[in-house]
Amino acid sequence: MKIDWLKPLLGAPGPFVTVYIDATRSGEGDREVENRWKSVRRSLEKDGATAPVLDTIGEEIVRPTRVGGPHGRVVVADETGLLVDRVTKTPPAVQKGTYGPFPALLQAAGAADESVDYLRIVVDRLGADLTWSEAGGHLPYAEHESVEGGHDVVNKASSGGLSHKRIESRAEDSWERNAEAVAAEVDRQVAAHRPEVLLLSGDVRAVALLKGALQKKTAELVVDVAGGSRGHGVNEDAFEANITEALEAFRVQRREKVLDEFRLEHGRSTGGVTGLADVIAVLARGQVKELLLSDEYGPGSELDGRSVWVGAEPLQIAASRDDLADLGAVTDEHELPATIALVRAALGQDSGLTFVPAESLSLVDGVGALLRWHDSGTPGDELAPSMSSDGGRIENLG
């Protein structure tokens, strides 16, 4: 799972305000959200958060999210303004705001685990409507954007003879040219904004032509979704249900792909480690491709109650202050909750993050890491678990 959208937090000095709030609107609309925010704001004011920062957050939180049904919102801000604004598919059980020198990275990353950064494409033989998800936080345009191919001979003639064949050929050519125009724009936007998946629906012939015109890397992101149409009469509820189903299937696939790779690499004792001490060590060496955290962890949990030492740079991370000093020139030493420090270090080396269901994979200390590379200095797991005295380090329950 991508967490690169959290990078603005690394360069900000803080202090930070982090807010988790139910953004669902029902009978009272904006007033409901505003009342929830007022309660959170009072708590943050007591903790010392300044009025300008809280005003900025309040102005944004009351704005509609364009998301229907129950959902939540995660906002992180400092004196410069909003740094993160993320919609979550489920509202938090408790409205909460925190104020301190570091943002609550674990909860912000948890919001990403619930969402998918996607581009929805609904096509016909004239063009396409493109709609970005809220997840990526980069919306290139507010509502859907229409891309028209410009070739309008799209209907085949019903009469026979040579005239019929010429018109039929012109129609086929127009469809292909329109598909190429849409594909060029989709390729451009995918390169610029890097969605995780493309949800494609619409006219069957237009869908096939667009797939054939997309660049290979773009086409590999496509997932077909039934029920979409640019014309009138589409069953919007049924189409949205199909979208929801496709996104949930993608979330499961995204997680299982990481878990399968971790099981394989850890079994080889070359590409995966588990346990807090070993994960800290590989994070400090910049080896981590994907950080794995048990999904049972959160504020007040066992892991969140443990401390880790960090310096000014994200890769300056160690289990103790003495170990941190061994890393070299370290400034701005801090003792942080382990969950914040681990996500911060992962973010600093462009790692992904996957939350692991406890019933799927049991990780020592609730943490693990998939590695980019392995050498003789890689800590832990030099022997396969079956050959080690520490055979209980990982249990595959899947």
Side-chain angles (χ1 to χ4, degrees), residues 22-36 61-64:
D22 183 350
T24 308
R25 285 164 166 78
S26 54
E28 296 184 60
D30 292 350
R31 186 181 297 274
E32 292 177 276
V33 178
E34 188 174 356
N35 288 336
R36 296 178 197 130
I61 277 183
V62 298
R63 292 181 182 175

Side-chain angles (χ1 to χ4, degrees), residues 42-347:
R42 285 193 292 269
S43 174
L44 289 167
E45 286 173 337
K46 292 178 181 178
D47 291 338
T50 63
V53 176
L54 298 178
D55 290 344
T56 299
I57 295 174
E59 289 174 7
E60 192 61 31
I61 277 183
V62 298
R63 292 181 182 175
T65 58
R66 297 197 284 115
V67 177
H71 62 283
R73 199 164 180 178
V74 178
V75 175
V76 183
D78 66 3
E79 296 291 342
T80 67
L82 291 181
L83 301 173
V84 168
D85 184 2
R86 197 85 173 191
V87 173
T88 67
K89 72 183 180 110
T90 55
V94 178
Q95 321 289 326
K96 186 174 182 180
T98 63
Y99 176 70
F102 295 93
L105 289 174
L106 180 66
Q107 293 85 344
D113 189 53
E114 294 184 350
S115 60
V116 177
D117 190 1
Y118 67 88
L119 175 60
R120 180 191 304 195
I121 309 168
V122 180
V123 297
D124 63 13
R125 301 179 197 191
L126 284 173
D129 295 332
L130 311 180
T131 308
W132 280 90
S133 69
E134 290 277 355
H138 53 57
L139 294 177
Y141 31 85
E143 301 294 341
H144 78 255
E145 178 184 67
S146 294
V147 180
E148 306 298 340
H151 292 258
D152 56 4
V153 182
V154 295
N155 295 313
K156 290 186 177 181
S158 58
S159 59
L162 292 177
S163 176
H164 161 74
K165 291 187 178 297
R166 283 195 299 270
I167 295 174
E168 186 176 70
S169 177
R170 288 177 60 197
E172 290 278 2
D173 183 68
S174 292
W175 302 344
E176 291 173 4
R177 300 292 81 75
N178 290 339
E180 289 169 0
V182 172
E185 179 60 16
V186 170
D187 286 331
R188 184 191 69 79
Q189 293 200 21
V190 167
H193 303 295
R194 300 187 301 142
E196 297 177 87
V197 63
L198 305 180
L199 303 180
L200 178 59
S201 190
D203 177 90
V204 175
R205 178 64 174 145
V207 165
L209 288 171
L210 179 60
K211 285 182 180 179
L214 291 170
Q215 294 177 3
K216 182 179 179 182
K217 287 185 177 180
T218 305
E220 290 172 351
L221 301 177
V222 171
V223 171
D224 291 316
V225 181
S229 173
R230 298 186 81 199
H232 298 293
V234 63
N235 187 329
E236 291 291 348
D237 290 341
F239 182 43
E240 290 297 333
N242 291 340
I243 290 288
T244 299
E245 183 179 349
L247 291 175
E248 185 58 34
F250 180 82
R251 291 184 194 99
V252 173
Q253 182 185 44
R254 179 176 64 185
R255 182 178 63 239
E256 287 305 315
K257 182 179 179 180
V258 172
L259 299 189
D260 287 345
E261 185 179 358
F262 181 81
R263 293 180 185 113
L264 176 63
E265 294 298 336
H266 187 273
R268 293 172 174 170
S269 300
T270 58
V273 300
T274 184
L276 183 58
D278 287 351
V279 170
I280 288 173
V282 292
L283 283 169
R285 300 178 92 225
Q287 291 179 258
V288 177
K289 178 172 71 173
E290 190 86 11
L291 176 66
L292 280 65
L293 293 177
S294 173
D295 66 358
E296 63 190 9
Y297 286 123
S301 67
E302 180 183 353
L303 181 63
D304 205 45
R306 299 177 68 171
S307 295
V308 171
W309 281 87
V310 302
E313 300 300 323
L315 270 60
Q316 293 175 340
I317 179 172
S320 69
R321 190 167 194 167
D322 290 341
D323 290 342
L324 187 65
D326 291 341
L327 296 179
V330 177
T331 59
D332 195 23
E333 298 174 350
H334 280 87
E335 191 174 17
L336 288 182
T339 48
I340 294 178
L342 295 176
V343 176
R344 177 177 179 263
L347 189 59

